[in-house]
Amino acid sequence: MKISVAIPESALSDESLKLDKTRKISVLARACAIFKIDTIYVYQEGNYREDGNLLVTILRYLETPQFLRRRLFPKMNELKFAGVLYPLKIPSHSTPANSKKINVGDVREGVIVSLKGKKFIDVGINELIPFFGKENVGKRATVQFKTGYPDFSVKEIQRNETSSYWGYAVKERASLFSLLTEWQGNIIITSRKGRTATKEQLTKYLSSDLPLLVVFGSPEKGVHEILGGKMKNVQNARTLNFFPNQATETVRLDEALLGILSIINAYKIG
Protein backbone atom coordinates (compact mmCIF):
# COMPACT_ATOMS: atom_id res chain seq x y z
CA MET A 1 0.00 0.00 0.00
CA LYS A 2 1.32 3.42 -0.97
CA ILE A 3 1.01 6.21 1.58
CA SER A 4 1.10 9.90 0.67
CA VAL A 5 0.76 13.01 2.82
CA ALA A 6 -0.83 16.42 2.26
CA ILE A 7 0.53 19.49 4.04
CA PRO A 8 -0.37 23.17 3.57
CA GLU A 9 1.87 26.00 2.38
CA SER A 10 1.14 27.54 5.79
CA ALA A 11 2.90 24.63 7.53
CA LEU A 12 5.84 26.94 8.32
CA SER A 13 3.78 29.84 9.64
CA ASP A 14 4.78 29.21 13.26
CA GLU A 15 8.43 29.92 12.40
CA SER A 16 9.62 33.48 11.76
CA LEU A 17 13.22 32.86 10.61
CA LYS A 18 14.15 31.19 7.33
CA LEU A 19 16.79 29.16 9.16
CA ASP A 20 14.13 27.66 11.45
CA LYS A 21 11.78 27.09 8.52
CA THR A 22 14.57 25.24 6.72
CA ARG A 23 15.24 23.04 9.73
CA LYS A 24 11.54 22.22 10.03
CA ILE A 25 11.33 21.19 6.38
CA SER A 26 14.35 18.96 6.91
CA VAL A 27 12.55 17.11 9.72
CA LEU A 28 9.43 16.74 7.55
CA ALA A 29 11.46 15.33 4.68
CA ARG A 30 13.36 12.93 6.92
CA ALA A 31 10.14 11.60 8.45
CA CYS A 32 8.63 11.04 5.02
CA ALA A 33 11.75 9.21 3.84
CA ILE A 34 11.94 7.02 6.97
CA PHE A 35 8.33 5.90 6.51
CA LYS A 36 8.61 5.52 2.72
CA ILE A 37 6.06 8.14 1.73
CA ASP A 38 5.16 7.96 -1.96
CA THR A 39 4.15 11.60 -2.59
CA ILE A 40 4.16 14.80 -0.56
CA TYR A 41 1.34 17.09 -1.71
CA VAL A 42 1.78 20.76 -0.82
CA TYR A 43 -1.56 22.54 -1.07
CA GLN A 44 -2.27 26.27 -1.07
CA GLU A 45 -3.79 27.62 2.12
CA GLY A 46 -3.82 31.29 3.03
CA ASN A 47 -1.34 33.89 1.79
CA TYR A 48 1.86 31.85 2.21
CA ARG A 49 3.17 31.54 -1.34
CA GLU A 50 6.75 32.36 -0.32
CA ASP A 51 6.69 29.67 2.34
CA GLY A 52 5.15 27.30 -0.19
CA ASN A 53 8.02 27.88 -2.63
CA LEU A 54 10.52 27.32 0.18
CA LEU A 55 8.78 24.12 1.25
CA VAL A 56 8.58 22.64 -2.25
CA THR A 57 12.13 23.64 -3.22
CA ILE A 58 13.80 22.18 -0.13
CA LEU A 59 11.72 19.00 -0.18
CA ARG A 60 12.76 18.40 -3.79
CA TYR A 61 16.37 19.36 -3.08
CA LEU A 62 16.62 16.89 -0.21
CA GLU A 63 15.11 14.06 -2.26
CA THR A 64 17.59 14.68 -5.09
CA PRO A 65 20.81 12.61 -4.84
CA GLN A 66 23.74 14.80 -3.81
CA PHE A 67 25.71 14.17 -7.01
CA LEU A 68 22.86 15.61 -9.12
CA ARG A 69 22.06 18.74 -7.13
CA ARG A 70 24.62 21.00 -8.79
CA ARG A 71 23.07 20.34 -12.20
CA LEU A 72 19.47 20.71 -11.06
CA PHE A 73 19.61 23.49 -8.44
CA PRO A 74 21.32 26.78 -9.26
CA LYS A 75 22.15 29.23 -6.48
CA MET A 76 18.86 30.46 -5.04
CA ASN A 77 17.65 32.23 -1.93
CA GLU A 78 15.52 29.25 -0.85
CA LEU A 79 18.69 27.20 -0.34
CA LYS A 80 20.54 29.83 1.69
CA PHE A 81 20.64 27.55 4.74
CA ALA A 82 21.05 24.24 2.91
CA GLY A 83 24.01 23.46 5.15
CA VAL A 84 21.70 22.63 8.09
CA LEU A 85 19.72 20.02 6.16
CA TYR A 86 19.88 16.38 7.22
CA PRO A 87 20.69 13.79 4.51
CA LEU A 88 17.88 11.34 3.80
CA LYS A 89 20.07 8.23 3.44
CA ILE A 90 17.74 6.50 1.00
CA PRO A 91 18.97 3.91 -1.55
CA SER A 92 18.92 6.36 -4.47
CA HIS A 93 21.48 8.47 -2.58
CA SER A 94 23.74 5.62 -1.46
CA THR A 95 25.30 4.73 -4.80
CA PRO A 96 29.00 4.15 -5.62
CA ALA A 97 30.97 6.74 -7.60
CA ASN A 98 33.46 4.06 -8.67
CA SER A 99 32.28 2.88 -12.08
CA LYS A 100 33.98 -0.51 -11.61
CA LYS A 101 31.57 -1.29 -8.74
CA ILE A 102 28.46 -0.97 -10.89
CA ASN A 103 26.80 -4.26 -11.78
CA VAL A 104 24.23 -5.30 -14.35
CA GLY A 105 20.76 -4.63 -12.93
CA ASP A 106 21.86 -1.76 -10.66
CA VAL A 107 19.52 1.22 -10.59
CA ARG A 108 20.68 4.84 -10.57
CA GLU A 109 19.25 8.33 -10.75
CA GLY A 110 20.69 10.63 -13.39
CA VAL A 111 20.28 13.90 -15.26
CA ILE A 112 19.91 14.00 -19.04
CA VAL A 113 22.55 16.12 -20.81
CA SER A 114 23.23 16.97 -24.44
CA LEU A 115 26.60 16.44 -26.10
CA LYS A 116 27.15 17.06 -29.82
CA GLY A 117 23.42 16.81 -30.44
CA LYS A 118 23.00 13.46 -28.68
CA LYS A 119 21.48 12.64 -25.31
CA PHE A 120 23.54 11.20 -22.46
CA ILE A 121 22.84 10.64 -18.79
CA ASP A 122 25.04 11.69 -15.88
CA VAL A 123 24.70 9.17 -13.04
CA GLY A 124 27.58 10.47 -10.94
CA ILE A 125 30.45 8.24 -12.11
CA ASN A 126 32.45 10.87 -14.06
CA GLU A 127 31.37 9.23 -17.28
CA LEU A 128 28.41 10.10 -19.49
CA ILE A 129 26.33 7.17 -20.71
CA PRO A 130 24.28 7.19 -23.97
CA PHE A 131 20.61 7.70 -23.19
CA PHE A 132 17.79 6.58 -25.48
CA GLY A 133 14.82 7.19 -23.16
CA LYS A 134 11.95 9.65 -23.56
CA GLU A 135 13.01 12.15 -20.88
CA ASN A 136 14.19 15.57 -22.07
CA VAL A 137 17.57 17.22 -21.56
CA GLY A 138 17.91 18.79 -18.11
CA LYS A 139 15.44 16.38 -16.49
CA ARG A 140 15.98 13.56 -14.04
CA ALA A 141 15.51 9.95 -14.99
CA THR A 142 15.74 6.58 -13.28
CA VAL A 143 17.79 4.04 -15.21
CA GLN A 144 18.84 0.43 -14.85
CA PHE A 145 22.16 -0.86 -16.15
CA LYS A 146 21.91 -3.40 -18.95
CA THR A 147 25.68 -3.82 -19.16
CA GLY A 148 28.44 -2.95 -16.71
CA TYR A 149 32.01 -1.76 -16.77
CA PRO A 150 33.60 -0.71 -19.10
CA ASP A 151 30.91 -0.47 -21.82
CA PHE A 152 27.87 0.85 -19.98
CA SER A 153 24.37 0.82 -21.38
CA VAL A 154 21.15 1.67 -19.54
CA LYS A 155 17.40 1.63 -19.97
CA GLU A 156 14.93 4.09 -18.50
CA ILE A 157 12.58 2.62 -15.89
CA GLN A 158 9.84 3.84 -13.58
CA ARG A 159 10.47 4.27 -9.87
CA ASN A 160 7.93 1.60 -9.01
CA GLU A 161 10.08 -0.91 -10.89
CA THR A 162 12.85 -0.63 -8.32
CA SER A 163 13.13 -3.25 -5.58
CA SER A 164 13.57 -0.72 -2.76
CA TYR A 165 12.15 2.62 -1.66
CA TRP A 166 13.52 5.20 -4.08
CA GLY A 167 12.26 8.46 -2.56
CA TYR A 168 9.16 10.64 -2.51
CA ALA A 169 7.69 12.86 -5.22
CA VAL A 170 6.62 16.44 -4.45
CA LYS A 171 3.47 17.82 -6.09
CA GLU A 172 1.64 21.13 -5.67
CA ARG A 173 -2.12 21.56 -5.55
CA ALA A 174 -4.23 24.71 -5.77
CA SER A 175 -6.38 23.70 -2.81
CA LEU A 176 -6.92 20.87 -0.38
CA PHE A 177 -10.45 20.26 -1.64
CA SER A 178 -9.29 19.82 -5.26
CA LEU A 179 -6.72 17.27 -4.06
CA LEU A 180 -9.26 15.32 -2.02
CA THR A 181 -11.87 15.22 -4.79
CA GLU A 182 -9.37 13.83 -7.31
CA TRP A 183 -7.79 11.34 -4.89
CA GLN A 184 -8.41 7.71 -5.90
CA GLY A 185 -8.07 5.91 -2.62
CA ASN A 186 -8.64 6.23 1.13
CA ILE A 187 -8.10 9.37 3.20
CA ILE A 188 -7.20 9.89 6.85
CA ILE A 189 -7.80 13.42 8.11
CA THR A 190 -5.80 14.25 11.22
CA SER A 191 -7.86 16.33 13.64
CA ARG A 192 -8.59 16.69 17.33
CA LYS A 193 -12.27 16.55 16.30
CA GLY A 194 -11.95 12.95 15.17
CA ARG A 195 -12.22 9.65 16.95
CA THR A 196 -9.20 8.42 18.84
CA ALA A 197 -6.85 6.63 16.46
CA THR A 198 -6.64 2.97 17.47
CA LYS A 199 -5.57 -0.16 15.66
CA GLU A 200 -9.22 -1.01 15.15
CA GLN A 201 -9.94 2.42 13.65
CA LEU A 202 -7.00 2.12 11.27
CA THR A 203 -7.37 -1.52 10.24
CA LYS A 204 -9.82 -0.90 7.40
CA TYR A 205 -7.55 1.59 5.71
CA LEU A 206 -4.21 -0.03 6.41
CA SER A 207 -5.31 -3.45 5.15
CA SER A 208 -6.57 -2.04 1.84
CA ASP A 209 -4.66 -2.20 -1.43
CA LEU A 210 -5.86 1.32 -2.26
CA PRO A 211 -3.42 4.21 -1.78
CA LEU A 212 -3.77 6.17 1.44
CA LEU A 213 -3.56 9.96 1.82
CA VAL A 214 -2.87 11.37 5.30
CA VAL A 215 -3.98 15.01 5.53
CA PHE A 216 -2.53 17.62 7.87
CA GLY A 217 -3.76 21.10 8.70
CA SER A 218 -1.74 24.21 9.51
CA PRO A 219 -0.50 25.56 12.86
CA GLU A 220 -3.43 28.02 12.82
CA LYS A 221 -6.19 26.03 11.12
CA GLY A 222 -7.32 22.44 11.34
CA VAL A 223 -8.41 20.52 8.25
CA HIS A 224 -12.11 21.02 9.03
CA GLU A 225 -11.64 24.77 9.24
CA ILE A 226 -9.66 24.83 5.99
CA LEU A 227 -12.35 22.85 4.13
CA GLY A 228 -15.34 24.55 5.75
CA GLY A 229 -18.67 23.42 4.33
CA LYS A 230 -16.93 21.35 1.66
CA MET A 231 -15.96 18.80 4.27
CA LYS A 232 -19.24 16.93 3.82
CA ASN A 233 -18.42 16.32 0.15
CA VAL A 234 -15.18 14.46 0.85
CA GLN A 235 -15.52 10.74 0.15
CA ASN A 236 -13.68 7.71 1.62
CA ALA A 237 -12.32 9.78 4.49
CA ARG A 238 -11.96 9.05 8.20
CA THR A 239 -11.15 11.76 10.74
CA LEU A 240 -8.86 10.56 13.50
CA ASN A 241 -7.26 12.13 16.56
CA PHE A 242 -3.77 10.71 17.06
CA PHE A 243 -3.09 12.83 20.14
CA PRO A 244 -6.27 12.63 22.25
CA ASN A 245 -4.51 13.71 25.44
CA GLN A 246 -2.86 16.75 23.90
CA ALA A 247 -4.43 19.78 22.25
CA THR A 248 -3.68 19.93 18.52
CA GLU A 249 -2.44 23.52 18.83
CA THR A 250 0.45 22.43 21.06
CA VAL A 251 1.77 19.84 18.59
CA ARG A 252 4.24 21.09 15.98
CA LEU A 253 3.51 19.85 12.48
CA ASP A 254 6.92 18.20 12.08
CA GLU A 255 6.47 16.40 15.40
CA ALA A 256 2.88 15.46 14.55
CA LEU A 257 3.84 14.07 11.15
CA LEU A 258 6.64 11.97 12.62
CA GLY A 259 4.41 10.71 15.43
CA ILE A 260 1.42 9.91 13.22
CA LEU A 261 3.49 8.13 10.59
CA SER A 262 5.11 6.10 13.37
CA ILE A 263 1.68 4.97 14.58
CA ILE A 264 0.49 4.13 11.08
CA ASN A 265 3.66 2.20 10.35
CA ALA A 266 3.26 0.19 13.56
CA TYR A 267 -0.28 -0.83 12.60
CA LYS A 268 0.34 -1.31 8.89
CA ILE A 269 -0.34 -4.79 7.56
CA GLY A 270 2.18 -6.24 5.15
Side-chain angles (χ1 to χ4, degrees), residues 180-203:
L180 297 183
T181 52
E182 70 183 28
W183 182 255
Q184 300 295 313
N186 294 317
I187 300 168
I188 289 178
I189 293 173
T190 62
S191 172
R192 61 188 177 87
K193 296 182 180 180
R195 293 185 177 183
T196 298
T198 62
K199 184 175 182 179
E200 290 69 31
Q201 290 288 337
L202 290 166
T203 295

mmCIF file of all heavy atoms in Angstrom, residues 180-203:
data_model
loop_
_atom_site.group_PDB
_atom_site.id
_atom_site.type_symbol
_atom_site.label_atom_id
_atom_site.label_comp_id
_atom_site.label_asym_id
_atom_site.label_seq_id
_atom_site.Cartn_x
_atom_site.Cartn_y
_atom_site.Cartn_z
ATOM 1 N N LEU A 180 -8.439 16.379 -2.597
ATOM 2 C CA LEU A 180 -9.264 15.319 -2.018
ATOM 3 C C LEU A 180 -10.294 14.790 -3.005
ATOM 4 O O LEU A 180 -10.612 13.594 -2.999
ATOM 5 C CB LEU A 180 -9.952 15.832 -0.754
ATOM 6 C CG LEU A 180 -9.019 16.245 0.396
ATOM 7 C CD1 LEU A 180 -9.827 16.667 1.609
ATOM 8 C CD2 LEU A 180 -8.055 15.131 0.749
ATOM 9 N N THR A 181 -10.842 15.664 -3.844
ATOM 10 C CA THR A 181 -11.869 15.217 -4.793
ATOM 11 C C THR A 181 -11.268 14.397 -5.931
ATOM 12 O O THR A 181 -11.954 13.567 -6.525
ATOM 13 C CB THR A 181 -12.644 16.409 -5.377
ATOM 14 O OG1 THR A 181 -11.722 17.373 -5.903
ATOM 15 C CG2 THR A 181 -13.508 17.070 -4.316
ATOM 16 N N GLU A 182 -9.994 14.602 -6.234
ATOM 17 C CA GLU A 182 -9.373 13.828 -7.313
ATOM 18 C C GLU A 182 -8.651 12.577 -6.800
ATOM 19 O O GLU A 182 -8.228 11.738 -7.578
ATOM 20 C CB GLU A 182 -8.374 14.695 -8.081
ATOM 21 C CG GLU A 182 -7.123 15.038 -7.300
ATOM 22 C CD GLU A 182 -6.182 15.965 -8.053
ATOM 23 O OE1 GLU A 182 -6.658 16.743 -8.882
ATOM 24 O OE2 GLU A 182 -4.970 15.908 -7.792
ATOM 25 N N TRP A 183 -8.542 12.453 -5.472
ATOM 26 C CA TRP A 183 -7.794 11.341 -4.894
ATOM 27 C C TRP A 183 -8.524 10.022 -5.108
ATOM 28 O O TRP A 183 -9.701 9.879 -4.780
ATOM 29 C CB TRP A 183 -7.571 11.570 -3.401
ATOM 30 C CG TRP A 183 -6.775 10.481 -2.745
ATOM 31 C CD1 TRP A 183 -7.242 9.494 -1.928
ATOM 32 C CD2 TRP A 183 -5.371 10.261 -2.865
ATOM 33 N NE1 TRP A 183 -6.217 8.674 -1.526
ATOM 34 C CE2 TRP A 183 -5.049 9.114 -2.086
ATOM 35 C CE3 TRP A 183 -4.345 10.916 -3.544
ATOM 36 C CZ2 TRP A 183 -3.759 8.617 -1.978
ATOM 37 C CZ3 TRP A 183 -3.062 10.421 -3.440
ATOM 38 C CH2 TRP A 183 -2.775 9.299 -2.665
ATOM 39 N N GLN A 184 -7.834 9.032 -5.655
ATOM 40 C CA GLN A 184 -8.411 7.713 -5.905
ATOM 41 C C GLN A 184 -7.900 6.736 -4.860
ATOM 42 O O GLN A 184 -6.964 5.974 -5.085
ATOM 43 C CB GLN A 184 -8.028 7.241 -7.314
ATOM 44 C CG GLN A 184 -8.512 8.139 -8.428
ATOM 45 C CD GLN A 184 -10.024 8.174 -8.526
ATOM 46 O OE1 GLN A 184 -10.676 7.124 -8.497
ATOM 47 N NE2 GLN A 184 -10.585 9.353 -8.645
ATOM 48 N N GLY A 185 -8.505 6.779 -3.700
ATOM 49 C CA GLY A 185 -8.072 5.913 -2.617
ATOM 50 C C GLY A 185 -8.709 6.326 -1.307
ATOM 51 O O GLY A 185 -9.725 7.027 -1.287
ATOM 52 N N ASN A 186 -8.127 5.907 -0.193
ATOM 53 C CA ASN A 186 -8.638 6.232 1.128
ATOM 54 C C ASN A 186 -7.941 7.473 1.685
ATOM 55 O O ASN A 186 -6.828 7.819 1.278
ATOM 56 C CB ASN A 186 -8.428 5.051 2.081
ATOM 57 C CG ASN A 186 -9.262 3.849 1.688
ATOM 58 O OD1 ASN A 186 -10.432 3.978 1.333
ATOM 59 N ND2 ASN A 186 -8.670 2.666 1.749
ATOM 60 N N ILE A 187 -8.611 8.132 2.627
ATOM 61 C CA ILE A 187 -8.102 9.375 3.197
ATOM 62 C C ILE A 187 -8.227 9.325 4.717
ATOM 63 O O ILE A 187 -9.283 8.969 5.248
ATOM 64 C CB ILE A 187 -8.897 10.599 2.673
ATOM 65 C CG1 ILE A 187 -8.785 10.700 1.144
ATOM 66 C CG2 ILE A 187 -8.409 11.891 3.330
ATOM 67 C CD1 ILE A 187 -9.773 11.691 0.536
ATOM 68 N N ILE A 188 -7.149 9.672 5.401
ATOM 69 C CA ILE A 188 -7.204 9.892 6.849
ATOM 70 C C ILE A 188 -6.961 11.371 7.107
ATOM 71 O O ILE A 188 -5.935 11.917 6.711
ATOM 72 C CB ILE A 188 -6.161 9.049 7.598
ATOM 73 C CG1 ILE A 188 -6.545 7.578 7.570
ATOM 74 C CG2 ILE A 188 -6.029 9.515 9.055
ATOM 75 C CD1 ILE A 188 -5.541 6.659 8.255
ATOM 76 N N ILE A 189 -7.920 12.012 7.744
ATOM 77 C CA ILE A 189 -7.795 13.418 8.110
ATOM 78 C C ILE A 189 -7.389 13.500 9.573
ATOM 79 O O ILE A 189 -8.062 12.948 10.441
ATOM 80 C CB ILE A 189 -9.120 14.166 7.868
ATOM 81 C CG1 ILE A 189 -9.399 14.226 6.359
ATOM 82 C CG2 ILE A 189 -9.081 15.568 8.468
ATOM 83 C CD1 ILE A 189 -10.764 14.805 6.016
ATOM 84 N N THR A 190 -6.270 14.134 9.841
ATOM 85 C CA THR A 190 -5.796 14.253 11.218
ATOM 86 C C THR A 190 -6.460 15.464 11.864
ATOM 87 O O THR A 190 -6.374 16.571 11.359
ATOM 88 C CB THR A 190 -4.267 14.414 11.250
ATOM 89 O OG1 THR A 190 -3.883 15.615 10.571
ATOM 90 C CG2 THR A 190 -3.596 13.237 10.572
ATOM 91 N N SER A 191 -7.128 15.242 12.987
ATOM 92 C CA SER A 191 -7.861 16.328 13.638
ATOM 93 C C SER A 191 -8.200 15.949 15.073
ATOM 94 O O SER A 191 -8.496 14.791 15.366
ATOM 95 C CB SER A 191 -9.153 16.635 12.880
ATOM 96 O OG SER A 191 -9.951 17.554 13.584
ATOM 97 N N ARG A 192 -8.166 16.943 15.951
ATOM 98 C CA ARG A 192 -8.586 16.693 17.331
ATOM 99 C C ARG A 192 -10.096 16.477 17.424
ATOM 100 O O ARG A 192 -10.615 16.060 18.461
ATOM 101 C CB ARG A 192 -8.171 17.854 18.236
ATOM 102 C CG ARG A 192 -8.767 19.192 17.894
ATOM 103 C CD ARG A 192 -8.149 20.307 18.710
ATOM 104 N NE ARG A 192 -8.656 21.624 18.350
ATOM 105 C CZ ARG A 192 -9.748 22.184 18.853
ATOM 106 N NH1 ARG A 192 -10.457 21.524 19.751
ATOM 107 N NH2 ARG A 192 -10.133 23.378 18.473
ATOM 108 N N LYS A 193 -10.810 16.748 16.332
ATOM 109 C CA LYS A 193 -12.266 16.547 16.300
ATOM 110 C C LYS A 193 -12.636 15.107 15.951
ATOM 111 O O LYS A 193 -13.805 14.743 15.994
ATOM 112 C CB LYS A 193 -12.899 17.494 15.280
ATOM 113 C CG LYS A 193 -12.746 18.976 15.629
ATOM 114 C CD LYS A 193 -13.433 19.849 14.597
ATOM 115 C CE LYS A 193 -13.295 21.330 14.943
ATOM 116 N NZ LYS A 193 -13.960 22.194 13.947
ATOM 117 N N GLY A 194 -11.659 14.309 15.594
ATOM 118 C CA GLY A 194 -11.950 12.947 15.171
ATOM 119 C C GLY A 194 -11.956 11.953 16.311
ATOM 120 O O GLY A 194 -11.647 12.271 17.464
ATOM 121 N N ARG A 195 -12.280 10.726 15.980
ATOM 122 C CA ARG A 195 -12.215 9.645 16.948
ATOM 123 C C ARG A 195 -10.758 9.332 17.271
ATOM 124 O O ARG A 195 -9.861 9.559 16.459
ATOM 125 C CB ARG A 195 -12.891 8.391 16.387
ATOM 126 C CG ARG A 195 -14.399 8.511 16.201
ATOM 127 C CD ARG A 195 -14.954 7.163 15.748
ATOM 128 N NE ARG A 195 -16.402 7.203 15.626
ATOM 129 C CZ ARG A 195 -17.150 6.156 15.310
ATOM 130 N NH1 ARG A 195 -16.563 4.975 15.088
ATOM 131 N NH2 ARG A 195 -18.461 6.255 15.214
ATOM 132 N N THR A 196 -10.552 8.794 18.452
ATOM 133 C CA THR A 196 -9.198 8.424 18.844
ATOM 134 C C THR A 196 -8.659 7.351 17.895
ATOM 135 O O THR A 196 -9.332 6.368 17.621
ATOM 136 C CB THR A 196 -9.176 7.892 20.284
ATOM 137 O OG1 THR A 196 -9.616 8.929 21.163
ATOM 138 C CG2 THR A 196 -7.765 7.470 20.680
ATOM 139 N N ALA A 197 -7.465 7.578 17.391
ATOM 140 C CA ALA A 197 -6.851 6.633 16.459
ATOM 141 C C ALA A 197 -6.414 5.372 17.205
ATOM 142 O O ALA A 197 -5.567 5.423 18.085
ATOM 143 C CB ALA A 197 -5.667 7.279 15.770
ATOM 144 N N THR A 198 -7.010 4.266 16.879
ATOM 145 C CA THR A 198 -6.644 2.972 17.465
ATOM 146 C C THR A 198 -6.362 1.999 16.325
ATOM 147 O O THR A 198 -6.630 2.287 15.155
ATOM 148 C CB THR A 198 -7.783 2.415 18.320
ATOM 149 O OG1 THR A 198 -8.938 2.195 17.468
ATOM 150 C CG2 THR A 198 -8.160 3.384 19.434
ATOM 151 N N LYS A 199 -5.831 0.857 16.684
ATOM 152 C CA LYS A 199 -5.569 -0.156 15.665
ATOM 153 C C LYS A 199 -6.860 -0.547 14.964
ATOM 154 O O LYS A 199 -6.884 -0.738 13.743
ATOM 155 C CB LYS A 199 -4.921 -1.381 16.307
ATOM 156 C CG LYS A 199 -4.520 -2.451 15.300
ATOM 157 C CD LYS A 199 -3.773 -3.585 15.954
ATOM 158 C CE LYS A 199 -3.337 -4.613 14.920
ATOM 159 N NZ LYS A 199 -2.566 -5.730 15.525
ATOM 160 N N GLU A 200 -7.930 -0.644 15.732
ATOM 161 C CA GLU A 200 -9.225 -1.013 15.154
ATOM 162 C C GLU A 200 -9.713 0.047 14.172
ATOM 163 O O GLU A 200 -10.264 -0.272 13.113
ATOM 164 C CB GLU A 200 -10.251 -1.219 16.263
ATOM 165 C CG GLU A 200 -10.030 -2.445 17.128
ATOM 166 C CD GLU A 200 -8.791 -2.339 18.018
ATOM 167 O OE1 GLU A 200 -8.445 -1.193 18.420
ATOM 168 O OE2 GLU A 200 -8.174 -3.378 18.301
ATOM 169 N N GLN A 201 -9.510 1.332 14.524
ATOM 170 C CA GLN A 201 -9.940 2.419 13.653
ATOM 171 C C GLN A 201 -9.139 2.445 12.350
ATOM 172 O O GLN A 201 -9.642 2.831 11.299
ATOM 173 C CB GLN A 201 -9.779 3.766 14.366
ATOM 174 C CG GLN A 201 -10.752 4.004 15.499
ATOM 175 C CD GLN A 201 -12.159 4.263 14.992
ATOM 176 O OE1 GLN A 201 -12.361 4.676 13.865
ATOM 177 N NE2 GLN A 201 -13.142 3.990 15.842
ATOM 178 N N LEU A 202 -7.882 2.024 12.429
ATOM 179 C CA LEU A 202 -6.998 2.115 11.273
ATOM 180 C C LEU A 202 -6.996 0.867 10.398
ATOM 181 O O LEU A 202 -6.576 0.914 9.246
ATOM 182 C CB LEU A 202 -5.564 2.374 11.740
ATOM 183 C CG LEU A 202 -5.287 3.761 12.328
ATOM 184 C CD1 LEU A 202 -3.958 3.771 13.042
ATOM 185 C CD2 LEU A 202 -5.306 4.816 11.239
ATOM 186 N N THR A 203 -7.483 -0.250 10.942
ATOM 187 C CA THR A 203 -7.367 -1.523 10.242
ATOM 188 C C THR A 203 -7.965 -1.496 8.846
ATOM 189 O O THR A 203 -7.350 -1.973 7.877
ATOM 190 C CB THR A 203 -8.042 -2.640 11.065
ATOM 191 O OG1 THR A 203 -7.323 -2.805 12.279
ATOM 192 C CG2 THR A 203 -8.032 -3.953 10.298
#
